């Protein structure tokens, strides 16, 4: 018996009713960490803590024989290590002695495991509460269940124990789902495969919940399925949220369908994820063609977000949140490769580690065209007003008629941003095109300019191939690139000046083409309709200025001719009469001298000198269109009287000689 006790794993103490240890087995010594001699003679309560030592001794003394007391105490060993032990105390008589047998078992690790298990259970219960996910175990053969606290809360049952029977649970399942739930659980029990289920559960108060559960078979050591276990989750709110999301998505998709703007979403790698019908209309792609493609397919490199670094910088920008957007003008590229102006609003949606961009893009081609048309109309009006103002200013200031055309040509060149311009008019007498004016870097030139000698100023109507077409249709024509087109007389000269493109605009009078104006450009270019309209209007101004220059030149020639006629009349009325009088006096002096009448000849010579001097005085007066000297200070009657007296003082001369002299003067005039 002693040998058996020595090898028992439990610690055994033999103590007397007062608590003094009188024997201990090796396991008891190992529990305390003392040798057996050190243990004997000590009280059991020297090692095992108690609320009150006296109370413990009294309890031992009052123990009845053949009864057992079970206690749980803390034990302190020799090394100071505290352990938790279970005590079984039995009072008996051995060898006529009153003794107490104490069996001790170290339950420290078990206690720790139990504490951990309880803590785990608390954590599990708390986790289930937070995740709203319960657990359950079902014995499908007996219908017995074991539910967690969260499962009871979800289903509206009191917390266990006890868990309800399967029949109680089944009675609250919606009648339409009851058979499906039963079949699903049975199938899982029979096949051993997990089985997800979804059903409606009705609480005692009538509230309906949507439940998701999944069953998992539990097997014994032989592999046989003995129970089912699983999880249960109340997904009512989630289902409601999903329904709301579906409704919102449906509304959003409806908005996307009717939206005329292009709505595109891209991820941080610029891969397209959303492409609505408006985008299909704007870009010409079907959604299936662009989903997953890079954004650069639709927006060229000029778009600021076409580079990954800029996308990442935009994603990191703290000042741009989901409620903010950046708007800018960009250029989109259609499926056929054509680019178009657009206004894009880019917003950022931060989804944690993922950043999504939404681009709302609007084609503003029509708006740009309208704005361009408005600017063109303003430019058109300003150009005409400027040309007219310069023409009127030239009419007032310019002394040379040809210079009236210069401000109009300058306006044309400036308004159309041209290199130079030239005017050719049709000579109706011979049908040739005659060069009239040009404006280039060298300044304003006319056909009389020496710099134009190298080129004939008169050309046939077909010398430049668009001329006949312009005269026939009355519409402008464009030499898009004179480097490649047909030759014409002065092509090499304009090429040397850097001219590449020439716009030929007709100049009309009363609806008929009477000439053309060539507007030259240093680069090949296309002309918008409003530019053509402006060029035509300015060509009308140039034609008006040309006609005004012609009229001014004609008026100047008429004025010069009238002035010459006036001078001739004045000379005939004043100087010719004076010269006639001088001739008559000289002839009279010659006749008197031939007769030896020296005094009379001298008188006639004096009068001839007087008449000559008077005629010399009348000459500048006639040029300046002043009054004759005879009328200065006298009226016409008095002047005629003086003239008659002078005539009466003259002696008669041969009538034939006087007539001959007058005839000579008249022929000379």
């Amino acid at each position: 018996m002693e040998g058996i006790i020595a090898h028992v794993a439990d610690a055994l103490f033999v103590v007397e009713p007062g608590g003094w240890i009188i024997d201990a087995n090796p396991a008891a010594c190992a529990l305390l960490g003392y040798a057996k001699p050190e243990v004997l003679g000590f009280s059991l309560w020297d090692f095992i803590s108690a609320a009150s030592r006296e109370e413990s001794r009294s309890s031992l003394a009052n123990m009845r024989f053949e009864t057992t007391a079970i206690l749980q105490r803390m034990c302190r060993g020799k090394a100071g290590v505290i352990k938790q032990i279970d005590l079984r105390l039995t009072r008996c008589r051995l060898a006529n002695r009153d003794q107490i047998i104490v069996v001790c078992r170290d339950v420290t690790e078990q206690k720790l495991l139990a504490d951990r298990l309880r803590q785990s259970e608390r954590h599990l219960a708390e986790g289930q509460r937070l995740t709203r996910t319960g657990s359950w175990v079902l014995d499908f053969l007996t219908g017995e269940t074991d539910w967690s606290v969260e499962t009871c809360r979800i289903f509206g049952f009191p917390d266990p124990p006890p868990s309800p029977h399967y029949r109680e649970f089944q009675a609250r399942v919606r009648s339409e789902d009851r058979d499906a739930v039963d079949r699903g659980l049975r199938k899982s029990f029979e096949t051993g495969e997990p089985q997800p289920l979804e059903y409606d559960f009705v609480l005692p108060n009538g509230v309906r919940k949507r439940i998701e559960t999944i069953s998992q078979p539990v097997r014994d050591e032989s592999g046989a399925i003995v129970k089912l276990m699983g999880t249960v989750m109340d997904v009512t709110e989630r289902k409601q949220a999903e329904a709301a999301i579906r409704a919102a998505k449906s509304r959003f998709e409806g908005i996307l369908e009717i939206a005329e703007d292009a709505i595109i979403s891209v991820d941080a790698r610029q891969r397209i994820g959303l492409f609505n019908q408006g985008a299909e209309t704007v870009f010409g792609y079907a959604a299936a063609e662009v989903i997953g493609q890079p954004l650069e397919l639709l927006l060229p490199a000029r778009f600021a977000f076409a580079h990954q670094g800029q996308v990442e910088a935009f994603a990191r920008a703290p000042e741009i949140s989901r409620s903010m957007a950046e708007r800018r003008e960009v250029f989109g590229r259609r499926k056929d490769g054509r680019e178009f102006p657009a206004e894009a609003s880019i917003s950022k949606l931060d989804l944690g580690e993922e950043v999504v961009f939404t681009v709302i893009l609007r084609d503003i081609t029509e708006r740009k065209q309208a704005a361009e048309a408005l600017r063109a109309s303003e430019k058109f009006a300003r150009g005409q007003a400027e040309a007219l103002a310069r023409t009127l200013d030239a009419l007032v200031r310019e002394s040379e008629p040809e210079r009236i055309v210069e401000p109009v040509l300058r306006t044309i060149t400036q308004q159309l941003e041209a290199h130079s311009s030239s005017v050719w008019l049709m000579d109706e007498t011979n049908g040739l095109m005659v060069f009239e004016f040009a404006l280039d870097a060298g300044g304003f030139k006319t056909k009389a300019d020496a710099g134009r000698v190298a080129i004939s100023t008169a050309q046939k109507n077909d010398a430049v191939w668009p001329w006949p077409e312009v005269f026939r249709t009355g519409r402008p024509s464009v030499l898009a690139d004179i480097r490649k087109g047909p030759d014409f007389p002065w092509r090499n000269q304009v090429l040397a000046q850097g001219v590449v493109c020439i716009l030929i605009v007709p100049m009309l009078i009363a609806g008929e083409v009477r000439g053309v104006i060539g507007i030259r450009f240093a680069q090949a270019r296309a002309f918008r309709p409003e530019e053509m309209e402006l060029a035509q209007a300015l060509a009308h101004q140039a034609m008006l200025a040309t006609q005004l220059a012609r009229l001014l030149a004609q008026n100047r020639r008429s004025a010069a001719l009238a002035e010459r006629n006036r001078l001739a009349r004045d000379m005939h009325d004043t100087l010719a009469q004076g010269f006639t009088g001088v001739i008559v006096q000289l002839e009279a002096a010659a006749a008197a001298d031939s007769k030896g009448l020296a005094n009379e000849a001298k008188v006639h010579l004096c009068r001839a000198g007087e008449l000559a001097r008077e005629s010399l005085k009348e000459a500048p007066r006639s040029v300046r269109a002043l009054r004759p000297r005879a009328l200065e200070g006298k009226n016409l009657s008095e002047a005629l009287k003086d003239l008659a007296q002078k005539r009466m003082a003259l002696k008669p001369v041969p009538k034939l000689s006087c007539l001959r002299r007058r005839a000579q003067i008249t022929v000379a005039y």
Side-chain angles (χ1 to χ4, degrees), residues 301 303-316 328 357:
F303 182 45
F305 294 158
H307 303 288
Q308 182 66 25
Q310 293 174 332
V311 173
E312 294 175 352
F314 182 69
R316 292 192 301 267
R328 63 181 62 188
F357 300 97

Side-chain angles (χ1 to χ4, degrees), residues 167-180:
R167 289 190 303 271
E168 297 180 60
F169 159 79
Q170 195 178 33
R172 295 190 184 180
V173 176
R174 188 178 64 166
S175 58
E176 293 87 342
D177 299 333
R178 198 170 295 157
D179 292 341

Side-chain angles (χ1 to χ4, degrees), residues 539-656:
H540 293 330
Q541 296 282 356
M543 191 65 188
L544 175 62
T546 302
Q547 292 301 106
L548 288 175
R550 283 186 173 183
L551 291 175
L552 285 176
Q554 291 176 1
N555 289 337
R556 286 196 174 189
R557 288 194 296 270
S558 298
L561 180 60
E563 183 67 13
R564 286 196 296 269
N565 291 335
R566 183 190 67 78
L567 290 174
R569 287 194 302 270
D570 288 347
M571 291 177 67
H572 176 270
D573 294 340
T574 57
L575 299 181
Q577 293 180 7
F579 292 153
T580 301
V582 171
I583 293 172
V584 170
Q585 293 297 329
L586 290 176
E587 289 179 347
D593 185 62
S594 63
K595 295 178 179 180
L597 301 175
N599 292 331
E600 292 183 3
K602 185 176 180 181
V603 171
H604 286 298
L605 290 174
C606 289
R607 289 179 177 175
E610 291 176 0
L611 291 173
R613 283 190 292 272
E614 288 179 0
S615 296
L616 287 176
K617 292 180 180 179
E618 287 294 332
R621 296 174 186 271
S622 298
V623 173
R624 293 194 300 270
L626 300 176
R627 292 166 60 86
R629 184 180 178 188
L631 294 177
E632 290 184 357
K634 299 178 182 179
N635 56 25
L636 179 61
S637 177
E638 294 174 347
L640 290 175
K641 184 177 180 181
D642 290 344
L643 181 60
Q645 291 176 354
K646 292 178 181 180
R647 293 291 184 182
M648 293 294 292
L650 296 176
K651 286 187 176 182
V653 295
K655 186 176 181 179
L656 182 61

Side-chain angles (χ1 to χ4, degrees), residues 359-390:
V359 180
I360 302 177
L361 184 139
R362 175 173 297 175
D363 186 351
I364 58 174
T365 303
E366 293 183 359
R367 191 173 76 189
K368 287 287 187 181
Q369 290 174 348
E372 188 66 25
L374 180 59
R375 286 193 295 270
S377 299
E378 293 176 353
K379 185 177 182 180
F380 176 78
R382 287 196 301 270
Q384 290 202 75
E386 184 178 348
L388 184 59
R390 290 189 177 185

